[in-house]
Amino acid sequence: MSTDIGLFDGYPINLPSLVDGETLYSWCARYHRLSGNVNASYSCVQLFGTSRLLLKHDFPKNLSEFSKRTGNCLGTSETLALERTLLGYYANFISPPRYQQALAAVCNQRAAEPKHLLGLMASRVGASHPLKACPECIQHDLGELGFSRWILEHQWPSVWVCRHHGILLRRLKSSAQRRGLRDWTLPEDHSCNDWESLPHLNGASITKLVRIADISASIAQMSVIFDDDRLRIVYRQGARDRGWVSFDGSLRTLLIRQHLKVEFGDLENVPGFGFLADTDLDPSGTGVVGLLTRRFPGLHHPLKHAVLIAFLFDSGEHFFDAYRSAMSAEISNELDAMVGDWREGLRQLVEFDKWSVTRAAKAMGIPLCQACRWLDSVGVPFEHRPRVLNDQMKVQLRSLLEAGNDYGQIAEITGLKKSLVRAFAGSEPSLRNSWRAQRFERLRASHRARAMELFNSQDGVSIKALKSIEGNGLAWLERHDREWLAEVAPSLW
């Protein structure tokens, strides 16, 4: 069959219009149906100049040839790539040079694979983009348009709910999705057996998915390429506003991961959201929180950004306002952006105005222990006064110790030095013994719960393999609770 550009010259071009929100793949399926071509490869040759590698629904190739053959009546190759393929979903989070490479990959026939350029293989989200559709949208389209369509927003990895109808999307089973590039299909072409639904989710989980979908849609409408350094500052400021940044500007990573697990852990079984399961197994903090708040090299998936924005900010507008402020501000020091420029003020009050550290710290609104630590680090002399605990503070300390809280946690809650908390506990043997007993009970309960989780999820796995799982706690139980281990898992010993 001829592949000349003038293929349509012999008769008027009568191409169907693109429907709002429709993917290019969906339009091609409709064109093939209207063309009367027996084989999809014939339609592919007419549109793209070749029948190879062009039936992909996420990243079709040779868009430059497609635009040329259709007289740009559907848009230029870049417009089609951004507005009708998945490239637009990733474009906001990649650098201009990498964007140009990815654009060239979908506009040309012989170019690098877009998924490699976008770093999808190593993203923990996955490089697969299963076709998804809303049952209500299919019925609506058939009634209003006479055909169904693949909606671009529904194909985004972070979108698993139809924002218009408020119901979960269904995805096409891998066995029903064309792998041999032999045909185009529309949602209506697939029977009920070709679809699979998400695991059961309650109303609260669906509400979170709607929120993430709203944020993804808002980002897609912005013609901006996010700067990694500014994004990191905005995320850290979002964490600071929720009380998860210390006065020295350091992140309370453990606390952040715990809250992330509580608030979004129920989504970890949604396809692509599996990285949320790592939040309680990653003591280094290099999961989604660490990757998006520290200087780790590499590309980070838009899905992770959408989850973190939903986690740290009240809405997409709240995030955009914070980002615009970060872009307009002159920020030469990230630490100053996080904690404010309180250091010079503190130094002036203590070193030159001869205030007491207690008075200066109170005036600056920072913890006394933090003020002392910083003044010591820069060599500013000040008088160290003994800390006197009043009756109210003693009652609070005793209550926290009797509950078995860690010394570090108590110091953070009360604003006291950890050494002072330890000294107070040691001053009363009965209180110290009570703390140790309660601490042991809490540790034992935590390790038992973790062990039972491993036994239930890793049935048949050897004890050696179980011990290799990070955070297993089995070594502690062997030392302190061996009888319980022998009772609940006798086959392992």
Side-chain angles (χ1 to χ4, degrees):
M1 187 173 184
S2 172
T3 60
D4 293 339
I5 295 178
L7 181 64
F8 294 127
D9 291 347
Y11 52 90
I13 299 179
N14 187 16
L15 301 176
S17 299
L18 275 163
V19 180
D20 184 42
E22 183 180 26
T23 66
L24 181 60
Y25 173 85
S26 178
W27 182 91
C28 290
R30 292 199 291 117
Y31 168 82
H32 171 62
R33 179 174 298 181
L34 295 172
S35 69
N37 290 327
V38 176
N39 194 308
S41 63
Y42 296 163
S43 298
C44 206
V45 169
Q46 288 179 332
L47 297 174
F48 296 94
T50 177
S51 62
R52 298 182 59 193
L53 302 176
L54 301 175
L55 294 178
K56 294 183 177 179
H57 65 277
D58 47 6
F59 297 110
K61 289 196 172 187
N62 225 22
L63 294 188
S64 295
E65 184 69 16
F66 177 90
S67 296
K68 188 184 298 182
R69 285 173 170 260
T70 55
N72 286 330
C73 65
L74 299 175
T76 64
S77 56
E78 184 170 11
T79 299
L80 290 171
L82 287 174
E83 299 179 3
R84 302 294 174 173
T85 78
L86 285 185
L87 180 61
Y89 175 77
Y90 294 94
N92 299 84
F93 296 99
I94 55 178
S95 64
R98 191 173 292 272
Y99 166 74
Q100 291 299 328
Q101 291 177 329
L103 179 63
V106 296
C107 287
N108 303 319
Q109 182 178 351
R110 295 181 178 86
E113 174 59 43
K115 293 181 180 181
H116 291 292
L117 294 171
L118 298 172
L120 303 188
M121 307 303 180
S123 66
R124 286 300 311 275
V125 176
S128 174
H129 300 111
L131 282 166
K132 295 176 288 184
C134 165
E136 294 291 334
C137 287
I138 294 175
Q139 296 304 315
H140 174 270
D141 287 349
L142 289 174
E144 294 292 325
L145 304 173
F147 56 84
S148 58
R149 62 195 160 121
W150 297 110
I151 298 175
L152 180 62
E153 179 180 318
H154 292 173
Q155 313 313 315
W156 295 341
S158 54
V159 174
W160 282 93
V161 63
C162 175
R163 295 193 300 139
H164 181 67
H165 294 105
I167 62 174
L168 294 173
L169 301 177
R170 299 183 304 177
R171 64 175 173 177
L172 204 59
K173 294 179 180 178
S174 57
S175 58
Q177 198 161 314
R178 307 299 188 189
R179 291 182 176 273
L181 305 177
R182 294 186 297 272
D183 203 359
W184 281 295
T185 65
L186 293 172
E188 66 199 70
D189 298 329
H190 297 279
S191 65
C192 294
N193 293 331
D194 291 342
W195 300 96
E196 58 184 352
S197 302
L198 286 180
H200 175 71
L201 295 173
N202 58 31
S205 299
I206 295 175
T207 299
K208 295 171 190 175
L209 287 177
V210 171
R211 187 175 174 192
I212 292 171
D214 286 337
I215 289 172
S216 299
S218 298
I219 291 173
Q221 294 172 3
M222 295 186 65
S223 56
V224 60
I225 295 178
F226 292 111
D227 178 80
D228 286 343
D229 291 333
R230 300 288 175 164
L231 267 181
R232 184 175 60 254
I233 291 172
V234 170
Y235 290 145
R236 291 173 69 92
Q237 289 175 339
R240 178 200 61 193
D241 292 343
R242 295 196 63 175
W244 299 332
V245 174
S246 302
F247 273 90
D248 61 357
S250 61
L251 286 171
R252 296 174 176 173
T253 310
L254 177 61
L255 187 61
I256 294 174
R257 287 191 283 117
Q258 290 173 342
H259 278 273
L260 181 62
K261 182 70 174 178
V262 170
E263 294 185 31
F264 287 89
D266 53 336
L267 301 181
E268 64 184 35
N269 292 322
V270 176
F273 287 73
F275 60 86
L276 290 172
D278 299 338
T279 54
D280 58 348
L281 302 176
D282 184 16
S284 65
T286 56
V288 61
V289 175
L291 283 173
L292 299 180
T293 55
R294 303 178 182 179
R295 286 191 177 93
F296 284 97
L299 300 169
H300 308 310
H301 201 286
L303 169 53
K304 294 182 180 180
H305 286 282
V307 170
L308 201 61
I309 292 170
F311 175 55
L312 295 176
F313 298 92
D314 297 331
S315 63
E317 291 73 19
H318 182 197
F319 161 73
F320 295 137
D321 288 342
Y323 185 79
R324 281 189 286 267
S325 297
M327 287 300 295
S328 61
E330 183 63 34
I331 301 177
S332 57
N333 188 315
E334 282 191 29
L335 195 58
D336 289 343
M338 294 305 302
V339 301
D341 192 14
W342 52 265
R343 296 172 182 78
E344 288 307 314
L346 178 66
R347 186 168 195 158
Q348 173 68 34
L349 292 175
V350 175
E351 186 173 10
F352 302 105
D353 296 345
K354 304 304 180 181
W355 285 26
S356 70
V357 181
T358 301
R359 180 185 176 192
K362 186 175 182 179
M364 298 299 297
I366 61 175
L368 177 61
C369 59
Q370 178 65 33
C372 293
R373 187 159 52 245
W374 182 80
L375 291 170
D376 276 333
S377 69
V378 295
V380 174
F382 63 93
E383 182 182 356
H384 291 266
R385 299 177 181 177
R387 184 64 180 266
V388 178
L389 297 176
N390 57 36
D391 291 340
Q392 182 180 358
M393 296 180 72
K394 289 181 180 179
V395 171
Q396 184 184 20
L397 275 176
R398 184 171 285 103
S399 175
L400 292 170
L401 287 167
E402 289 176 347
N405 290 285
D406 181 77
Y407 288 155
Q409 293 175 327
I410 296 176
E412 187 172 332
I413 293 171
T414 59
L416 301 174
K417 290 184 178 180
K418 186 176 178 180
S419 58
L420 183 58
V421 176
R422 185 183 293 108
F424 181 81
S427 65
E428 299 183 28
S430 60
L431 178 60
R432 181 184 56 195
N433 293 337
S434 175
W435 176 82
R436 286 175 176 172
Q438 188 61 32
R439 183 69 178 159
F440 177 83
E441 291 294 332
R442 292 180 64 167
L443 280 173
R444 183 171 63 179
S446 174
H447 288 310
R448 281 182 176 182
R450 177 59 176 151
M452 290 303 299
E453 180 183 339
L454 288 176
F455 295 155
N456 293 330
S457 62
Q458 307 287 336
D459 188 26
V461 178
S462 67
I463 184 63
K464 182 178 180 180
L466 290 176
K467 285 184 176 181
S468 67
I469 299 175
E470 195 166 0
N472 62 85
L474 294 176
W476 189 94
L477 290 170
E478 281 188 326
R479 291 193 302 271
H480 303 286
D481 205 10
R482 193 175 183 88
E483 291 183 1
W484 178 84
L485 273 179
E487 180 182 348
V488 298
S491 61
L492 294 176
W493 278 269

